[in-house]
Amino acid sequence: APLHDVGKIATPDRILQKPGKLTDEEYAIMKEHSARGGEIIKTTFKDTGTPEFRKIAFEVARFHHEKYNGKGYPDGLEGEWIPLHARVMAIADVFDAVSQKRCYRDAMPLDECFAIIEKGSGTDFDPELVKIFLNSREEVEALMREHM
């Protein structure tokens, strides 16, 4: 999971740190980070760790923005064609993005963060994984308190 956004090292800071909404062109550049991340993992870790670690790290970096309904990027994968690790990371990434303060907005209230995940069930996220995540709410909130 810590490597999921490694491709952002190839994204200009002017885009990463922009306080307002991205233009269509900027968003297109931002979307390149997942494919770039997969390539960085392949290249950098080709002789490191186990083959399973390399495969998981690649899949998480490349596919964490794929959507369950096939409308994500970079490859438009859908449903269970999206590797399990990436489907898990997709939920964690969105939850983290909305529950933490960003340069362009404040953190959202936790009820709203959980509602965003629930609303995305079956479209953005694997519905079975959403159920597991929502059923783990107390544990998620405890971890957040512990690490804040």
Side-chain angles (χ1 to χ4, degrees):
L3 296 172
H4 80 282
D5 273 341
V6 69
K8 286 185 177 179
I9 64 173
T11 305
D13 284 345
R14 68 179 170 76
I15 293 173
L16 290 174
Q17 298 172 357
K18 184 176 179 178
K21 186 176 180 185
L22 298 178
T23 66
D24 290 345
E25 179 183 316
E26 290 167 334
Y27 185 59
I29 293 168
M30 175 66 89
K31 286 174 31 175
E32 293 173 5
H33 84 275
S34 54
R36 287 178 177 238
E39 290 306 312
I40 290 167
I41 296 290
K42 264 191 197 176
T43 304
T44 306
F45 293 94
K46 68 180 184 283
D47 299 318
T48 306
T50 65
E52 183 180 13
F53 168 81
R54 291 190 302 269
K55 180 178 185 280
I56 291 169
F58 168 80
E59 290 174 350
V60 167
R62 181 163 181 103
F63 302 122
H64 71 281
H65 283 291
E66 297 290 355
K67 304 234 180 263
Y68 200 73
N69 63 5
K71 295 184 179 182
Y73 62 88
D75 298 314
L77 300 179
E78 67 178 287
E80 301 210 2
W81 288 104
I82 304 166
L84 176 60
H85 302 95
R87 285 182 274 145
V88 171
M89 188 70 236
I91 293 170
D93 190 35
V94 169
F95 187 82
D96 179 64
V98 296
S99 67
Q100 303 300 311
K101 184 176 176 9
R102 297 290 191 241
C103 63
Y104 50 88
R105 61 150 182 79
D106 287 331
M108 294 180 183
L110 283 182
D111 285 341
E112 193 173 334
C113 298
F114 282 99
I116 287 169
I117 300 301
E118 186 172 26
K119 182 179 179 191
S121 180
T123 54
D124 295 342
F125 312 116
D126 179 324
E128 292 303 314
L129 295 177
V130 168
K131 285 180 198 171
I132 293 167
F133 181 76
L134 295 175
N135 287 334
S136 302
R137 181 174 176 153
E138 286 182 24
E139 185 179 354
V140 170
E141 289 182 4
L143 286 168
M144 291 180 74
R145 285 190 298 274
E146 183 180 319
H147 295 284
M148 292 181 100

